[in-house]
Amino acid sequence: MSFLSDQARQTLAANDLGHYTIPRKMLYPFQWNWDSCFAALGFAAYDEKRAWVELDSLFEGQWDNGMVPHILFRSEPATTYCPGPDHWHARNPAGIETSGISNPPVAAHVIRQLCENTGDTEQSRHKARTFIPKLFKWHQWWHEKRDPDMSGLVFSYHPWETGRDNSHDWSAILKHIPKEGLQPYERKDTALIPANQRPDQSEYDAFMALVQQARSLDYDDMALYEQSYFKVADTTINFILSRANQDLLWLIDFIGGAAFSAERKVIEKRIALSSGALQRLWNDAEQAFQPLDFSPCTGARGRHTGGTSSAAFLSLFAGNLRPDQIDALSGLIDRWHKTVFLLPSYAPDGAGFSPEKYWMGPVWAIMNYMIYHGLRTCGRHQQAANIATDTSLLMKKGGFAEYYNPIDGAPLGGSGFSWTAAMWLHWLEPLQNSLSDNEAQRLLYKAHQHNKS
Ligand code: GLC
C-alpha cells in the first residue's frame, strides 16, 4: 500500500466514531450528510461493509417528511462547534437530534458506485433494495416540498444546505438578511482555523439569523417557501439532484425493477421536467450556469446571482447539456488555468475571488471529483485528467486538507479531513498509473506559471 493510501485510511480511522464518520475532530464533530456519503466511498476501497454502515447510519436521521438532515448530532454535545443542537431544536421521529435543513443529495450516486464496484452480488442487490425507498422519499421531499409549484427547480433556504457556505454566489443576499433580534451565539471555528480562511463575521451572523428564522417557523416547508429570507434555486443542489434521479433509476434497473415500476415512472417524469427547467440556470450573457435568487430581501425575483462558481460545472455531472454549453464551460476551465491548480471554487478573474477564503476561491476535492466525472461523460478527457492530476498533486503536497489554495497549492482549513482522504482512496489512488505522464506535464506547466509570476 502506498504511503498516501495508508495515511488516508488513518485519517478515516481517526474520524470514525464506530458507525458514522465525522468530517474532522473538533472543527466538525458530528455526522454531516454529504461528507458521510463521500466518506462511504473511501471506506468502500478497503472495507465495503463499513461503507454500508456509514450510509445506514446517515439514513437513520431521515425525517418523516423524507428530508435527510445536513447534520446528525449523535455524539455528546460538543463545545467546539456552533450552532449545535440547542440552536436548531430539531429531532427526527427516532429521537435523533438534527439540523433542520438538508444537503446536496449525493447518496444515490454513492450507492450506485458501491453497487457498481461490488458487482452483482446478493449483498449489493439487497442493499440497493433497502435504499431505493429511502432515496425515493428523500428525492420526493425535494420535488414536492421544495418545489411546490412543480417548476422543475427546487429551492434552498440556507447556504449551508447548498454545501457552499460563503460562496460569492450568496454575498449580495447575505448582506440583506435581517439580523434584528439575532440571539447571542459564540463562533468556535475561528478559534481553530485562521479567520481569513473562514466566512466573515457578517456572513456568520446571516447564517445564524437564518437558523433562527427556520426554527421559529418550525421548519415547516410551506412557511419556509413563503417566508424564508434566503431563497435560491441553487446549482449544486439542482444539478446533483438531477444526477441523483438518474442514479436512482439505475439502481431500480440493477435489482430488476419490477417492484418499483410505479416509482420508476414518477422519477422519469421528474427527470423530464427538471432537464428543461435546469436550462433556466444558464446565464446566456455570462455563458455559465448560475443560481437563481428569489430571496424576498433582495427583490431579485429569480435573477441570476451573477459571477461563476465551480458549481456551474456540476451541470456536466447532471448531463444533457447543449454542445455550445459544453464548449463554453470547457473554455472557462481553460481560462481558469491561470490559477495553476484546478479547479478554483470561484472564477479567479471574478470580483470576489479570494484564494484562501473557503468557498470564494479554494479548491475542494469533492467538487473536482464530480466535475471530473462530468467532463469524462462529455468526452473532455484531457481536462478531466488535468483536474484529477491537480487534485492528487495537492494531496501529495499538502495531505488531506479541507480545501487548498488554487494559486500556490497550500493546504487550508482543517487537516486530516475525511472526505478529502476518501477522494484519494476511491478516485485518485486507482488512477495513479494512468496519470503519471500527465503529472509530469502538469508539474512543468506549474513551474512555468510560477516563473512567469
Ligand atoms: C463546511 C462546508 C460543507 C461541509 C461541512 C463539513 O460547512 O462548506 O460543505 O459539508 O463544512 O465538512
Side-chain angles (χ1 to χ4, degrees):
M1 194 194 324
S2 72
F3 171 75
L4 222 51
S5 298
D6 185 41
Q7 293 289 304
R9 289 189 190 194
Q10 284 185 36
T11 301
L12 284 182
N15 293 325
D16 182 357
L17 297 194
H19 60 299
Y20 69 96
T21 309
I22 58 173
R24 167 69 166 85
K25 288 228 168 86
M26 297 183 68
L27 190 59
Y28 298 108
F30 305 106
Q31 184 173 21
W32 256 259
N33 183 326
W34 70 331
D35 294 67
S36 205
C37 292
F38 286 117
L41 283 181
F43 283 123
Y46 58 98
D47 186 350
E48 194 203 328
K49 209 163 147 223
R50 179 63 187 79
W52 288 115
V53 168
E54 186 75 27
L55 293 161
D56 284 332
S57 73
L58 174 64
F59 276 83
E60 281 166 19
Q62 188 160 31
W63 284 17
D64 259 356
N65 65 1
M67 183 182 86
V68 183
H70 104 293
I71 306 177
L72 275 63
F73 297 109
R74 291 165 169 284
S75 40
E76 289 302 297
T79 51
T80 55
Y81 178 82
C82 174
D86 293 350
H87 286 269
W88 287 100
H89 281 279
R91 66 176 71 233
N92 80 344
I96 300 176
E97 290 183 301
T98 69
S99 70
I101 52 171
S102 200
N103 234 190
V106 293
H109 168 76
V110 166
I111 291 168
R112 173 179 173 171
Q113 288 283 306
L114 259 56
C115 290
E116 279 187 332
N117 291 354
T118 333
D120 193 357
T121 62
E122 192 40 51
Q123 148 95 344
S124 59
R125 263 181 284 120
H126 165 71
K127 290 313 279 186
R129 212 171 292 123
T130 357
F131 275 108
I132 288 169
K134 298 177 187 177
L135 291 167
F136 183 81
K137 203 172 162 192
W138 187 19
H139 296 185
Q140 175 158 286
W141 170 81
W142 282 110
H143 288 287
E144 291 184 355
K145 305 296 182 192
R146 292 307 192 87
D147 179 21
D149 299 332
M150 305 261 293
S151 72
L153 291 177
V154 304
F155 290 121
S156 290
Y157 304 130
H158 200 296
W160 286 339
E161 185 162 276
T162 72
R164 301 182 297 120
D165 310 13
N166 72 331
S167 168
H168 202 51
D169 288 348
W170 319 134
S171 300
I173 311 174
L174 295 182
K175 281 196 191 93
H176 288 93
I177 302 294
K179 303 189 189 83
E180 298 80 45
L182 177 63
Q183 284 155 13
Y185 70 96
E186 195 191 333
R187 264 183 95 162
K188 309 286 181 167
D189 57 327
T190 40
L192 302 167
I193 304 292
N196 69 326
Q197 297 174 25
R198 300 285 307 175
D200 291 340
Q201 189 55 43
S202 61
E203 290 164 340
Y204 223 90
D205 283 350
F207 298 155
M208 294 303 290
L210 289 169
V211 170
Q212 211 172 295
Q213 186 198 27
R215 189 183 74 209
S216 74
L217 296 174
D218 232 358
Y219 307 109
D220 180 82
D221 291 306
M222 207 54 200
L224 284 164
Y225 171 72
E226 283 163 358
Q227 297 175 50
S228 177
Y229 303 139
F230 181 93
K231 186 177 182 185
V232 300
D234 170 42
T235 36
T236 334
I237 298 280
N238 280 283
F239 287 127
I240 289 178
L241 180 60
S242 161
R243 171 67 188 237
N245 280 322
Q246 298 167 53
D247 289 328
L248 185 51
L249 275 189
W250 184 94
L251 285 169
I252 291 177
D253 289 345
F254 176 65
I255 58 151
F260 293 104
S261 55
E263 285 82 353
R264 183 170 229 299
K265 284 202 188 97
V266 174
I267 300 166
E268 278 167 351
K269 277 200 194 126
R270 282 182 191 146
I271 293 176
L273 178 68
S274 65
S275 76
L278 286 169
Q279 285 297 330
R280 289 171 52 208
L281 301 176
W282 179 251
N283 183 339
D284 212 32
E286 298 191 30
Q287 290 285 293
F289 289 101
Q290 296 168 357
L292 301 177
D293 175 21
F294 293 88
S295 308
C297 60
T298 59
R301 294 167 193 252
R303 223 182 16 238
H304 288 107
T305 48
T308 305
S309 71
S310 59
F313 302 99
L314 292 176
S315 55
L316 300 159
F317 187 58
N320 291 320
L321 302 186
R322 298 195 311 255
D324 64 293
Q325 292 173 325
I326 298 174
D327 286 346
L329 292 169
S330 146
L332 211 54
I333 295 181
D334 286 342
R335 254 179 40 214
W336 288 18
H337 249 172
K338 75 166 200 197
T339 55
V340 186
F341 287 96
L342 295 172
L343 196 65
S345 46
Y346 198 74
D349 46 8
F353 171 73
S354 179
E356 295 194 324
K357 208 164 187 58
Y358 217 37
W359 286 94
M360 289 195 175
V363 179
W364 292 74
I366 46 114
M367 295 296 276
N368 280 5
Y369 164 77
M370 291 183 278
I371 295 164
Y372 164 87
H373 279 294
L375 283 165
R376 281 179 64 85
T377 315
C378 300
R380 306 287 161 140
H381 293 275
Q382 186 55 50
Q383 282 187 326
N386 290 348
I387 287 181
T389 308
D390 282 10
T391 321
S392 60
L393 284 171
L394 289 168
M395 292 183 193
K396 287 175 187 175
K397 192 169 173 262
F400 304 117
E402 188 178 4
Y403 42 96
Y404 303 86
N405 184 321
I407 294 170
D408 63 11
L412 300 170
S415 57
F417 223 80
S418 295
W419 66 8
T420 314
M423 288 298 97
W424 172 263
L425 291 164
H426 169 74
W427 171 37
L428 298 168
E429 208 269 340
L431 288 182
Q432 286 307 295
N433 284 342
S434 66
L435 290 179
S436 57
D437 286 350
N438 201 48
E439 181 168 316
Q441 283 166 21
R442 294 295 291 159
L443 284 169
L444 274 177
Y445 170 80
K446 285 168 211 312
H448 178 67
Q449 293 291 96
H450 184 73
N451 288 341
K452 269 200 322 200
S453 59

